[in-house]
Structure formats: structure tokens, C-alpha cells
């Protein structure tokens, strides 16, 4: 009986040790989970399907249009990549102006400081055409329960598609699927009312952009893209 007890103890101890680590760079010990927050990690596929065509947007339509580099960020609730109604951070401005993913990542890391280890992770999916689709994946953890997605419109002053701080937690469970319609967003960094124009600094709040040249100067009736966030495991 004594040997059986010791064997059972070792098996249980081994189980808890293996479950206590985060193999994707997050902090050990589970982080600030809080009451009712799911303990498990999970992978999500992020799929962006664009619908930016000349028929719906004839005014100044760029023949070389694309979106990207597409960025998917899994991050802690206290990390804000961008927010509608607020000024773009230096990192967000770098991405919105030129698609600088490295600059965005460096800014987030610097703003978090040394204690930011494991609070965010970034994956990319390259660029996608005006009527095409691309996907990437992110891993959420008990620490990283928000997903932000960015896709810069090329060419443009600083316009992009995105979703900010989407929460994958619903009650005490992780969601399985979410589908969203995306409309153009103005980062408020560079002035311009057409795709190729760069008319100097703007310093305005980030906002939904629903005027010319999109929709031929009329409010958009259809989104420029659809985003699907789907749990893999």
C-alpha cells in the first residue's frame, strides 16, 4: 500500500508541474486570472476576407490596392493597441503610416516595461489583395484574453481595418466563433482625403472613416472586409 501511495503521488505531482508552464512565452503560474476566468490556453484562427472593389468605390480607386501587413495581437486586458476616440500612440502611428510592424511591437514592449513579459504576442499574415483572404493564428492564455487585429490599407494616408481588444472570454468560458464586419478607420495621424494624398500631420482622434473617396463619396453600404475569429482547440 505504501508503494502504491508513493506512485500515485508522483503521478499527480508530475501532472501539476506539466500544466503549470506556458510554452509560448507567457508567465508561469497562470497570471492574473481573476474569478471565473478560464484557466486553459487556446489557439484561434484569424481570417480576414476583403471586399474593396472599384464598382462600390469608383472615386480615385487605386489599381495597386492591398491590405497589410496583417497583424494579430493576443494581449492582456490592460494593453491597449488603439482605441476609437483617442489619439494614436507612437507605435500605432508607425503602423498606420507605413505598416511598420516592428515599430509597433517595439513600442508596445517598451511601454509595458520589464514586467510586460507574456502580456502580448504578435503574429502576422503578410498582405492580402483588395478582394481576397488571408489568415493567421494567435494563442490566448489566462493572461492574454484580448485580440486586436490590424490591416493597413495601401495606399492611403493612414487608413486601416481593425478590431480593438476583442474579448474571447464569455462568462467562465472561451468563445468558439465570432464574425465581424470591418469598415475603414482613420488613425488621425496624416491629413488626406484620397488614397495617395499625404497633406501633413493631423493629430486627430482615431475614428471610423465613412466619407470620400470610399463609396464614391456616399456612406458605405457594405463593409470593406469580414473578420472571423474561430477557436481551434
Amino acid at each position: 500500500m505504501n508503494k502504491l501511495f508513493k506512485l500515485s503521488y508522483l503521478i499527480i505531482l508530475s501532472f501539476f508541474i506539466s500544466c503549470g508552464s506556458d510554452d509560448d512565452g507567457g508567465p508561469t503560474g497562470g497570471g492574473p486570472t481573476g474569478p471565473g476566468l478560464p484557466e486553459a490556453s487556446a489557439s484561434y484562427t484569424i481570417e480576414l476576407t476583403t471586399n474593396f472593389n472599384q464598382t462600390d468605390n469608383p472615386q480615385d480607386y487605386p489599381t495597386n490596392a492591398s491590405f497589410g501587413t496583417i497583424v494579430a495581437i493576443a494581449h492582456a486586458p490592460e494593453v491597449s493597441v488603439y482605441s476609437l476616440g483617442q489619439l494614436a500612440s507612437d507605435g500605432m502611428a508607425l503602423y498606420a503610416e507605413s505598416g511598420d510592424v516592428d515599430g509597433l511591437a517595439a513600442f508596445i514592449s517598451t511601454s509595458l516595461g520589464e514586467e510586460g513579459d507574456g502580456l502580448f504576442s504578435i503574429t502576422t499574415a503578410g498582405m492580402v489583395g483588395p478582394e481576397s483572404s488571408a489568415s493567421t493564428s494567435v494563442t490566448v492564455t489566462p493572461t492574454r484574453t484580448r485580440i486586436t487585429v490590424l490591416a493597413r490599407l495601401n495606399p492611403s494616408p493612414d487608413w486601416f481595418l481593425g478590431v480593438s481588444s476583442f474579448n474571447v472570454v464569455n462568462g467562465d468560458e472561451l468563445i468558439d466563433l465570432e464574425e465581424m464586419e470591418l469598415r475603414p478607420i482613420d488613425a488621425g495621424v496624416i491629413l488626406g482625403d484620397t488614397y495617395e494624398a499625404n497633406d501633413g500631420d493631423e493629430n486627430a482622434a482615431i475614428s471610423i472613416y465613412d466619407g470620400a473617396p470610399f463609396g464614391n463619396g456616399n456612406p458605405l453600404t457594405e463593409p470593406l472586409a469580414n473578420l472571423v475569429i474561430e477557436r481551434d482547440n
Side-chain angles (χ1 to χ4, degrees):
M1 293 293 291
N2 188 42
K3 290 183 178 180
L4 180 59
F5 173 80
K6 289 182 177 180
L7 179 59
S8 299
Y9 173 79
L10 289 174
I11 292 173
I12 293 172
L13 179 61
S14 176
F15 173 80
F16 278 109
I17 290 175
S18 66
C19 291
S21 64
D22 182 356
D23 61 6
D24 64 352
T28 59
T33 58
L37 194 63
E39 295 287 341
S41 299
S43 175
Y44 282 86
T45 293
I46 313 296
E47 183 175 24
L48 179 73
T49 301
T50 58
N51 182 33
F52 179 48
N53 59 77
Q54 188 171 8
T55 300
D56 295 334
N57 306 277
Q59 182 177 330
D60 299 332
Y61 184 81
T63 57
N64 57 338
S66 66
F67 292 92
T69 300
I70 299 169
V71 181
I73 308 173
H75 57 88
E78 59 267 33
V79 176
S80 177
V81 180
Y82 80 91
S83 296
L84 294 177
Q86 297 185 8
L87 293 177
S89 67
D90 291 343
M92 186 62 211
L94 288 172
Y95 177 80
E97 288 182 63
S98 61
D100 187 348
V101 179
D102 290 338
L104 172 63
F107 178 83
I108 297 174
S109 181
T110 300
S111 66
L112 291 174
E114 294 182 359
E115 296 181 0
D117 292 344
L119 292 184
F120 80 102
S121 65
I122 294 181
T123 61
T124 61
M127 292 190 179
V128 65
E131 294 181 281
S132 188
S133 64
S135 63
T136 186
S137 63
V138 297
T139 298
V140 301
T141 69
T143 302
R144 301 193 298 262
T145 58
R146 302 293 192 272
I147 294 175
T148 291
V149 179
L150 306 170
R152 186 187 189 277
L153 172 57
N154 305 297
S156 75
D158 58 357
W159 303 334
F160 67 99
L161 303 176
V163 58
S164 175
S165 297
F166 176 76
N167 187 4
V168 298
V169 178
N170 182 17
D172 58 356
E173 297 180 346
L174 296 173
I175 68 161
D176 291 323
L177 178 69
E178 185 71 21
E179 300 179 10
M180 288 169 271
E181 296 181 343
L182 303 184
R183 297 179 182 276
I185 300 174
D186 183 353
V189 179
I190 300 295
L191 286 170
D193 58 4
T194 192
Y195 304 103
E196 298 286 356
N198 291 285
D199 299 328
D201 296 340
E202 184 176 12
N203 197 35
I206 299 172
S207 61
I208 299 294
Y209 191 87
D210 197 18
F214 298 108
N216 202 30
N218 301 312
L220 287 171
T221 58
E222 298 293 334
L224 289 193
N226 290 280
L227 184 70
V228 175
I229 299 177
E230 184 171 13
R231 185 176 176 180
D232 300 321
N233 57 14

